[in-house]
């Protein structure tokens, strides 16, 4: 099954100034089983989105987005469905995780991965390829005829130290450094920095009204060990030439 993972266009001036780490994690969990390409379309026009999807054969599109990207995500899903009517469309990220039935209906999508997605997405893709029952995949909402089916909560990854290193191979880091300097040129540290990014923890014990972190990652805070965090920083420096690291 050929997979494209993407972040949809941003319809305001701001463009992503660091690689979409969520897509990089998802790719790391499926690329060993399925040909996978991750594409940051945040700076694309919709014409370029269409050209890209026409030039890249795909069986499944994974779209991860925040609420502020919901309109552009819907446009991308419509383009993908028009190009390949038989493709699977899977949604993820904080917005579809909060309103899965709504976005499944609006976007004519096949499934939503709720919250932490690495294990869930891998199992979902395998189920699609094997044409097995999606009821067995925990942590999703999917459509069955006219009904929406919730499969129950997915257990969180208990030990973040055991997670695979995100696959940034489709994201040229120098492009993000150029964008960051253009967007934030008054900030000296961005002038000569090659940007990398990583997670060191997930979850938050608090529940601020304006924040989706607790709802998405849960109120159970989990952290990587200091050694693993340093190992990841060193790997970013070695493999991507990162001299400036953003903690997400």
């Amino acid at each position: 099954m050929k997979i494209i993972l993407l972040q949809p266009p941003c319809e305001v001036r701001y463009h992503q100034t660091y690689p979409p780490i969520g897509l990089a994690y998802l790719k790391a969990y499926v690329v060993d089983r399925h040909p996978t390409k991750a594409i940051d379309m945040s700076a694309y026009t919709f014409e370029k989105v269409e050209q890209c999807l026409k030039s890249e054969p795909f069986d499944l599109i994974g779209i991860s987005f925040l609420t502020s990207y919901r309109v552009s995500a819907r446009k991308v899903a419509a383009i993908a469905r028009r190009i390949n009517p038989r493709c699977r469309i899977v949604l993820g990220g904080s917005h579809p995780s909060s309103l899965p039935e709504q976005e499944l209906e609006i976007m004519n999508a096949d499934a939503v991965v709720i919250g932490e997605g690495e294990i869930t997405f891998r199992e979902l893709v395998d189920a699609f390829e094997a044409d097995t029952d999606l009821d067995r995949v925990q942590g999703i909402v999917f459509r069955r005829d006219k009904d929406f089916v919730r499969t129950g909560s997915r257990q969180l990854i208990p030990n973040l130290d055991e997670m695979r290193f995100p696959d940034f191979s489709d994201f040229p880091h120098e492009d993000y450094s150029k964008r960051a300097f253009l967007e934030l040129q008054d900030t000296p540290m961005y002038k000569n920095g090659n940007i990398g990014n990583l997670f060191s923890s997930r979850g938050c014990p608090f529940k601020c009204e304006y924040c989706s972190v607790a709802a998405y990652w849960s109120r159970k805070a989990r952290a990587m060990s200091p050694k693993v965090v340093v190992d990841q920083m060193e790997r970013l420096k070695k493999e991507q030439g990162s001299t400036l690291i953003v903690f997400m």
Side-chain angles (χ1 to χ4, degrees), residues 127-138:
F128 277 139
E129 182 162 71
D131 196 25
T132 56
D133 196 340
L134 299 185
D135 287 280
R136 299 179 181 180
V137 181
Q138 291 183 321

PDB file of all heavy atoms in Angstrom, residues 127-138:
ATOM      1  N   ALA A 127      -4.569  -3.172   8.418  1.00  0.00           N
ATOM      2  CA  ALA A 127      -5.933  -3.683   8.285  1.00  0.00           C
ATOM      3  C   ALA A 127      -6.523  -3.337   6.930  1.00  0.00           C
ATOM      4  O   ALA A 127      -7.206  -4.161   6.301  1.00  0.00           O
ATOM      5  CB  ALA A 127      -6.808  -3.121   9.407  1.00  0.00           C
ATOM      6  N   PHE A 128      -6.265  -2.125   6.454  1.00  0.00           N
ATOM      7  CA  PHE A 128      -6.734  -1.751   5.118  1.00  0.00           C
ATOM      8  C   PHE A 128      -6.122  -2.658   4.051  1.00  0.00           C
ATOM      9  O   PHE A 128      -6.821  -3.145   3.164  1.00  0.00           O
ATOM     10  CB  PHE A 128      -6.364  -0.297   4.811  1.00  0.00           C
ATOM     11  CG  PHE A 128      -7.317   0.726   5.376  1.00  0.00           C
ATOM     12  CD1 PHE A 128      -6.836   1.895   5.936  1.00  0.00           C
ATOM     13  CD2 PHE A 128      -8.689   0.535   5.319  1.00  0.00           C
ATOM     14  CE1 PHE A 128      -7.709   2.859   6.445  1.00  0.00           C
ATOM     15  CE2 PHE A 128      -9.574   1.478   5.826  1.00  0.00           C
ATOM     16  CZ  PHE A 128      -9.078   2.647   6.385  1.00  0.00           C
ATOM     17  N   GLU A 129      -4.824  -2.885   4.154  1.00  0.00           N
ATOM     18  CA  GLU A 129      -4.157  -3.693   3.135  1.00  0.00           C
ATOM     19  C   GLU A 129      -4.647  -5.140   3.158  1.00  0.00           C
ATOM     20  O   GLU A 129      -4.823  -5.763   2.103  1.00  0.00           O
ATOM     21  CB  GLU A 129      -2.643  -3.660   3.324  1.00  0.00           C
ATOM     22  CG  GLU A 129      -1.907  -4.441   2.251  1.00  0.00           C
ATOM     23  CD  GLU A 129      -0.442  -4.075   2.140  1.00  0.00           C
ATOM     24  OE1 GLU A 129       0.311  -4.442   3.064  1.00  0.00           O
ATOM     25  OE2 GLU A 129      -0.062  -3.423   1.157  1.00  0.00           O
ATOM     26  N   ALA A 130      -4.885  -5.671   4.345  1.00  0.00           N
ATOM     27  CA  ALA A 130      -5.345  -7.057   4.463  1.00  0.00           C
ATOM     28  C   ALA A 130      -6.854  -7.189   4.297  1.00  0.00           C
ATOM     29  O   ALA A 130      -7.378  -8.312   4.262  1.00  0.00           O
ATOM     30  CB  ALA A 130      -4.931  -7.629   5.824  1.00  0.00           C
ATOM     31  N   ASP A 131      -7.541  -6.023   4.222  1.00  0.00           N
ATOM     32  CA  ASP A 131      -8.998  -5.994   4.095  1.00  0.00           C
ATOM     33  C   ASP A 131      -9.665  -6.746   5.246  1.00  0.00           C
ATOM     34  O   ASP A 131     -10.588  -7.540   5.053  1.00  0.00           O
ATOM     35  CB  ASP A 131      -9.430  -6.585   2.750  1.00  0.00           C
ATOM     36  CG  ASP A 131     -10.873  -6.224   2.399  1.00  0.00           C
ATOM     37  OD1 ASP A 131     -11.359  -5.181   2.895  1.00  0.00           O
ATOM     38  OD2 ASP A 131     -11.522  -6.986   1.660  1.00  0.00           O
ATOM     39  N   THR A 132      -9.172  -6.472   6.469  1.00  0.00           N
ATOM     40  CA  THR A 132      -9.743  -7.081   7.665  1.00  0.00           C
ATOM     41  C   THR A 132     -10.616  -6.071   8.395  1.00  0.00           C
ATOM     42  O   THR A 132     -10.625  -4.882   8.088  1.00  0.00           O
ATOM     43  CB  THR A 132      -8.639  -7.593   8.603  1.00  0.00           C
ATOM     44  OG1 THR A 132      -7.743  -6.515   8.926  1.00  0.00           O
ATOM     45  CG2 THR A 132      -7.844  -8.704   7.940  1.00  0.00           C
ATOM     46  N   ASP A 133     -11.342  -6.567   9.381  1.00  0.00           N
ATOM     47  CA  ASP A 133     -12.319  -5.755  10.110  1.00  0.00           C
ATOM     48  C   ASP A 133     -11.627  -4.649  10.898  1.00  0.00           C
ATOM     49  O   ASP A 133     -10.733  -4.910  11.712  1.00  0.00           O
ATOM     50  CB  ASP A 133     -13.117  -6.661  11.052  1.00  0.00           C
ATOM     51  CG  ASP A 133     -14.395  -5.998  11.548  1.00  0.00           C
ATOM     52  OD1 ASP A 133     -14.484  -4.769  11.491  1.00  0.00           O
ATOM     53  OD2 ASP A 133     -15.299  -6.737  11.992  1.00  0.00           O
ATOM     54  N   LEU A 134     -12.066  -3.402  10.711  1.00  0.00           N
ATOM     55  CA  LEU A 134     -11.468  -2.273  11.427  1.00  0.00           C
ATOM     56  C   LEU A 134     -11.874  -2.232  12.901  1.00  0.00           C
ATOM     57  O   LEU A 134     -11.269  -1.502  13.688  1.00  0.00           O
ATOM     58  CB  LEU A 134     -11.859  -0.953  10.753  1.00  0.00           C
ATOM     59  CG  LEU A 134     -11.412  -0.764   9.299  1.00  0.00           C
ATOM     60  CD1 LEU A 134     -11.767   0.643   8.828  1.00  0.00           C
ATOM     61  CD2 LEU A 134      -9.926  -1.031   9.140  1.00  0.00           C
ATOM     62  N   ASP A 135     -12.882  -3.010  13.283  1.00  0.00           N
ATOM     63  CA  ASP A 135     -13.283  -3.062  14.692  1.00  0.00           C
ATOM     64  C   ASP A 135     -12.142  -3.479  15.607  1.00  0.00           C
ATOM     65  O   ASP A 135     -12.135  -3.163  16.803  1.00  0.00           O
ATOM     66  CB  ASP A 135     -14.450  -4.041  14.883  1.00  0.00           C
ATOM     67  CG  ASP A 135     -15.749  -3.500  14.337  1.00  0.00           C
ATOM     68  OD1 ASP A 135     -16.385  -2.687  15.018  1.00  0.00           O
ATOM     69  OD2 ASP A 135     -16.111  -3.887  13.209  1.00  0.00           O
ATOM     70  N   ARG A 136     -11.180  -4.205  15.046  1.00  0.00           N
ATOM     71  CA  ARG A 136     -10.077  -4.727  15.865  1.00  0.00           C
ATOM     72  C   ARG A 136      -8.986  -3.684  16.115  1.00  0.00           C
ATOM     73  O   ARG A 136      -8.078  -3.917  16.911  1.00  0.00           O
ATOM     74  CB  ARG A 136      -9.472  -5.946  15.173  1.00  0.00           C
ATOM     75  CG  ARG A 136     -10.454  -7.096  14.971  1.00  0.00           C
ATOM     76  CD  ARG A 136      -9.791  -8.261  14.258  1.00  0.00           C
ATOM     77  NE  ARG A 136     -10.716  -9.370  14.023  1.00  0.00           N
ATOM     78  CZ  ARG A 136     -10.384 -10.508  13.422  1.00  0.00           C
ATOM     79  NH1 ARG A 136      -9.138 -10.679  12.987  1.00  0.00           N
ATOM     80  NH2 ARG A 136     -11.280 -11.459  13.245  1.00  0.00           N
ATOM     81  N   VAL A 137      -9.048  -2.557  15.415  1.00  0.00           N
ATOM     82  CA  VAL A 137      -8.035  -1.511  15.567  1.00  0.00           C
ATOM     83  C   VAL A 137      -8.506  -0.511  16.622  1.00  0.00           C
ATOM     84  O   VAL A 137      -9.438   0.257  16.389  1.00  0.00           O
ATOM     85  CB  VAL A 137      -7.774  -0.781  14.241  1.00  0.00           C
ATOM     86  CG1 VAL A 137      -6.689   0.279  14.419  1.00  0.00           C
ATOM     87  CG2 VAL A 137      -7.394  -1.770  13.153  1.00  0.00           C
ATOM     88  N   GLN A 138      -7.883  -0.528  17.770  1.00  0.00           N
ATOM     89  CA  GLN A 138      -8.276   0.395  18.834  1.00  0.00           C
ATOM     90  C   GLN A 138      -7.814   1.817  18.516  1.00  0.00           C
ATOM     91  O   GLN A 138      -6.792   2.027  17.878  1.00  0.00           O
ATOM     92  CB  GLN A 138      -7.675  -0.041  20.166  1.00  0.00           C
ATOM     93  CG  GLN A 138      -8.262  -1.317  20.727  1.00  0.00           C
ATOM     94  CD  GLN A 138      -7.679  -1.645  22.088  1.00  0.00           C
ATOM     95  OE1 GLN A 138      -6.501  -1.466  22.338  1.00  0.00           O
ATOM     96  NE2 GLN A 138      -8.518  -2.132  22.983  1.00  0.00           N
TER      97      GLN A 138
END
